[in-house]
Amino acid sequence: VQLQASGGGLVHSGNSLRLSCKTSGFTLDYYDIGWFRQAPGKERERVACIFGTESGKSGTSYLDSVKGRFFGSRDNAENTVYLLMNNLEPDDTAVYSCATHCYDVTKAYWGQGTQVTVSS
């Protein structure tokens, strides 16, 4: 099982980025895929959970502070999960990672993170 996040960078406030999480070694549409972020000195937080068939849920859930700005999606044919981030704010600055579980992260496989830096 492998996951690799990419697409981070340095942007100004108000701009957008799209992160990608390329996966391999498992059936993507089965698992919930979580996008997490961790800023320096802060705890890791789950930004979005893109539900898979295992959970019996559909769609995506979001951290309150990103609702209406961030949008998760998956392309099962490409084995890739995306996180479109619009209207970025300096508080969104963090290392963003993807993982195979959203809630019980002790079971999760993690991808290497990608740095997002938003300047004011």
Side-chain angles (χ1 to χ4, degrees):
V1 175
Q2 291 188 325
L3 301 91
Q4 178 64 55
S6 62
L10 171 63
V11 297
H12 291 297
S13 293
N15 283 357
S16 300
L17 282 173
R18 189 179 76 160
L19 304 183
S20 299
C21 176
K22 181 69 174 176
T23 72
S24 62
F26 64 99
T27 303
L28 177 59
D29 64 352
Y30 181 72
Y31 289 99
D32 297 345
I33 299 295
W35 280 103
F36 296 81
R37 68 186 181 187
Q38 187 164 21
K42 295 185 178 181
E43 292 188 356
R44 183 176 62 203
E45 58 184 358
R46 187 180 66 249
V47 175
C49 181
I50 305 165
F51 297 115
T53 58
E54 180 191 28
S55 67
K57 301 177 182 179
S58 62
T60 307
S61 69
Y62 298 96
L63 182 69
D64 283 349
S65 63
V66 307
K67 284 181 180 177
R69 299 189 298 122
F70 288 15
F71 301 93
S73 62
R74 66 169 78 208
D75 184 334
N76 293 325
E78 294 295 326
N79 293 315
T80 303
V81 177
Y82 300 98
L83 184 67
L84 174 62
M85 307 185 296
N86 295 324
N87 194 22
L88 283 160
E89 304 168 353
D91 283 348
D92 296 320
T93 295
V95 175
Y96 285 71
S97 303
C98 51
T100 55
H101 287 72
C102 294
Y103 300 100
D104 186 357
V105 294
T106 61
K107 299 179 180 178
Y109 290 90
W110 290 87
Q112 187 173 2
T114 184
Q115 176 71 46
V116 172
T117 304
V118 184
S119 63
S120 57

